[in-house]
Structure formats: C-alpha cells, structure tokens
Amino acid sequence: MNLPEVDIIGTGNLATNLAPALEQNGFIVNNIYGRSQESAKEIANRLYQATAVNDLDFSSSKSSVFFITISDDAIEEVAREIILPDDAIIAHTSGTKSLSALGYTASPNFGVFYPVQTFSKAKRVNFENVPVLIEGGNRFTEKTLLKMAKKLSSTVELASSSQRRMVHLAAIFAGNFTNAMMAHANELMATANFDLQLLGPLVEETLNKSILLGPEVAQTGPARRGDLEVLDEHMQMLEKFPELQETYRNISQQILDRYDEES
Amino acid sequence: MNLPEVDIIGTGNLATNLAPALEQNGFIVNNIYGRSQESAKEIANRLYQATAVNDLDFSSSKSSVFFITISDDAIEEVAREIILPDDAIIAHTSGTKSLSALGYTASPNFGVFYPVQTFSKAKRVNFENVPVLIEGGNRFTEKTLLKMAKKLSSTVELASSSQRRMVHLAAIFAGNFTNAMMAHANELMATANFDLQLLGPLVEETLNKSILLGPEVAQTGPARRGDLEVLDEHMQMLEKFPELQETYRNISQQILDRYDEES
C-alpha cells in the first residue's frame, strides 16, 4: 500500500515527537492543528511541508489519516466538531479513553494508536523503541493503523480498550510512581549534600534487572531481607519527613508481606 | 604508592563482584574468607591466585587491606574475632553501619568503602560506573581507601557515617521502592496479558529524565495534571487489588499535594 498522508490534531508533547517521526519514516504530514496557531507553527516549521491550521474543517485536506493527540478531556468534543474527507481514518492516542470516544465522528473509520511512552518537548524520543498498541473499529482501520505503526516502531500489538486501559495503569506505576520515588530520594540526597546523579547507576541496574529477571527476583533491600532493625532505624531517620515515612512504611510492609507469604 | 594486596571477608553478591574488579585493576587478591569453604572456593577459583580460607586469623596474610563484605548484623562480631597483620587496614562496605562498628578491631586503621550499587551473583556489574563513598578513621586509612577506590571507579567521594546512612536510605527509595512499583506494574500487565517488557522503554526514558532533568520536572501523569476523573477511574479499576489501590492513593495524593502547593 502507499503510505497514507497524515494530519495531526494537537501540539503537545506527543505531537512534537510523532510528527517528525512520521516524516522520517516516509509519511507526508500535511497539517498540524492547534487552537493556538503559534504552537502549531512551532511544530509545522520543523517539518518538510506541513501547514499550521486552527480550523477543524479538514474536508479539503489531502490526508487520509488523522491523529488526535490532545488531552483526554477534549477528545470527544473534537470528535464531534471535526470534519473529515470521505473514508478518512481518525485515531486517538490516549491510554485511557475507549475506542467509542470517537463514535461521535461522522467517519466509520476510527481507531486507537497508543504509544506506550512518556514524551517531552525538550527531549526527543526514538520512535523505533516505542511500543504502539492498536485498536480499530473496523478491519480496514485496524489494518491501516497496524501497518503505519510498524513503519515507526519495532513493537506493535493489538489491544482492546480494556487491555490498553490496564497497560496505561501499569505504566503509571512503572513510570509516574517510580519517578515519585526518585523525588523522595532526591529530597534525602539533598539533606546529605549529594546530587541525585550519584544514584544513577544504581537506578539503571535495578530497573534493568527488574525488566530482565522480573521484579520479584530483582527485589533486594532491608524489607526483602526482613531486616526489622534497619527498617526501624530508617523510620526514625524519616521522622522529619512524614510523607516519606508514610511511603516507607507502606511499601516496606508490602514487600515484607509479599516475601513472607513465600517463605 | 604500590597497590596494596587485598583479602576479602565474605562470599556474597558484593564479594562476587568486587574480587574480580580488584584483580582487573591490578590488585592482588590473596584470600577469600567464607564460613563455608565451598562458597569461598567458588569466588577464589575464578581469580588468578586467591585461596579460600575459613579461619579469621590473617596474621600471616601478605595482604594489607581487608574488606568486610558480610551482612550488617555480622560486622561487629567479625571485627571482634579477626586477627590482622600489623598496620593492616580493615574496611566494611555497608551503607548503614557507622565507622565505629569497626572500633572493636585491634587495628587503629579502620574505614568504610561503600559502593552505591545493587549487586547480584548472576549479573556482573562494571565497577567503573559504581560510585564509592569513603570514610577513614585516620588520615592514612582515608588516603589509602580513596586511592584504591579511584583505581576501580570514576566516581569516588568522601562521606561521613551520617551522610552515607542518608545516601543509603535514598538508595532504597530509588532502587528497592522503584522495583516494588515495577512488581505492581507487572501484576497489572499480567491481567491484560502483556509482558512487563513492553514497559521497558517507558521506564528507561522516565528514569533518564528523572536523573537528567530532576524528578520534579520529570513528573508526568494524571496526578501531576490534577486529573481527578482519571484518578477515580483508576481507583475503581484497582478495587480487586487492595495493595495496589493503597499505593495508588498514597503516591497520587503526594503528587497532587506537591504540585498543588506550587501552582
């Protein structure tokens, strides 16, 4: 099949990463839609021939695939307002929203294209390594989105809305919550006059092991060893940090319970 | 200075990684002490000329530096029992135990050599990237341990016992607790019939950003955005997982509080 041409609705972190990734993989990106023309221009200017637009009437666009990369709350509203060329495919990119959120579009060809990654404007991500989960409301949409995803990424899977929602929730534990632990670590490192970077190799090794051997095998530390003396000492050290103390107690108790049951 | 020769007390994860790292950097390792001769042999056999021993009388050892790599609980007992050559340096490798835990040794030359890393027997760590924190009971010990650490690692720092204890506690948040989050993620991924590996690139990117930009800047997710609708949905999805629900509530609340104060 010829590569479909693409328009992107949204100017956030994902759009900033997805648009150039599409171009690098041979797709033509025609329009970048933003409510603010400014931010749409910022992305369009870095592309080969894209135009910044701020009107949701795409009836004269040459594109046949439309990616919605805006916040979850706004998806249904845009789906209601957008005007698409005949037979166009429209896909949202949310981990949470179900496929049916696009049921409001006039097009029968709606689907989901969910990249399992955290994106920033400041730090470009190599899309080759980004797993993409695909869902299509019909066979044509599913097939097209699968083929497009495979041009961008080496890991592409079909996932139902409920599977995807669960992967997204797992990703919050693996991403957002591990980062919250890093914030706590950072606070403690600062009190000892050390930089968080000192823990870089430890974090890297821990999470490599976690992915490689599985987190059950990779778990170490005083709670894993059932070393109650060290746990008590740490609770005392954290008396001036009630938030950290609460987290320390909660997570340590869960590790104790988990490994106690096993032994 | 000539490189001091070394004996290692202990046969655990650290000894398994430290002994070959010392050899590769030009140190002669003479003896590996283990209560079980078997496990001492396992390490000694992979070294150039080391001998497995199970007697704490080292008075005739050619080594001048002795690393204690055993569990925290046993350090003081070994310090009491060990017999060292004159002027030998003895160092423990614990993140938690203070320098004074070695006050029981006959030698005045005691110190701490704490590698900030998680070690396994199964997966060899490159010591070049392992930060080492040094403390010495006197100037001679401090100087010698600093020089030795710098032969092994590119990141060597002095740290007092209380600084080191705080770094160790921070390392528990950054290592053990992030891994506990991975265990939760793993449980959720399994219910969706996906492998944890799908989250590998996300975890890597998240923690690279956390170290590079700082965890405050790197924080993303529904709690960071104050998206209460998604938080409610997730709490419902976790109803069958009370442990995960507790963690979700705890960490999300902390993220909400932290970023609410700022805005």
Side-chain angles (χ1 to χ4, degrees), chain A residues 50-231:
Chain A
T51 308
V53 301
N54 65 358
D55 184 337
L56 283 170
D57 181 352
F58 291 92
S59 48
S60 60
S61 170
K62 286 186 293 172
S63 295
S64 58
V65 173
F66 295 76
F67 285 120
I68 301 189
T69 67
I70 59 183
S71 68
D72 287 358
D73 301 348
I75 292 175
E76 293 182 30
E77 197 189 319
V78 164
R80 272 201 194 86
E81 289 182 23
I82 198 167
I83 302 170
L84 299 171
D86 287 347
D87 300 323
I89 286 175
I90 183 159
H92 77 60
T93 52
S94 159
T96 317
K97 281 282 160 181
S98 76
L99 176 65
S100 61
L102 296 180
Y104 300 99
T105 38
S107 171
N109 304 319
F110 50 90
V112 182
F113 183 102
Y114 170 51
V116 187
Q117 183 54 288
T118 170
F119 296 96
S120 325
K121 293 199 180 185
K123 188 166 177 300
R124 203 58 63 86
V125 161
N126 179 5
F127 239 90
E128 167 77 19
N129 303 322
V130 178
V132 182
L133 300 184
I134 297 294
E135 186 177 10
N138 57 33
R139 184 91 186 94
F140 163 69
T141 307
E142 181 183 298
K143 236 172 110 177
T144 308
L145 293 177
L146 275 177
K147 283 196 184 173
M148 292 179 73
K150 283 177 183 168
K151 289 288 285 183
L152 295 181
S153 164
S154 60
T155 309
V156 179
E157 307 271 0
L158 284 173
S160 69
S161 286
S162 69
Q163 280 181 303
R164 175 166 39 80
R165 199 181 289 127
M166 197 58 90
V167 170
H168 177 251
L169 180 52
I172 287 174
F173 281 90
N176 298 156
F177 289 178
T178 54
N179 186 70
M181 297 300 120
M182 296 297 286
H184 287 335
N186 194 29
E187 202 174 336
L188 296 173
M189 290 297 278
T191 70
N193 279 317
F194 278 107
D195 196 285
L196 184 63
Q197 294 199 5
L198 194 83
L199 300 181
L202 168 80
V203 174
E204 196 186 332
E205 176 71 10
T206 301
L207 292 157
N208 281 345
K209 273 203 276 197
S210 197
I211 297 279
L212 201 72
L213 312 174
E216 304 296 335
V217 178
Q219 190 66 59
T220 61
R224 169 70 184 91
R225 290 191 303 273
D227 189 339
L228 301 180
E229 205 176 310
V230 170
L231 293 177

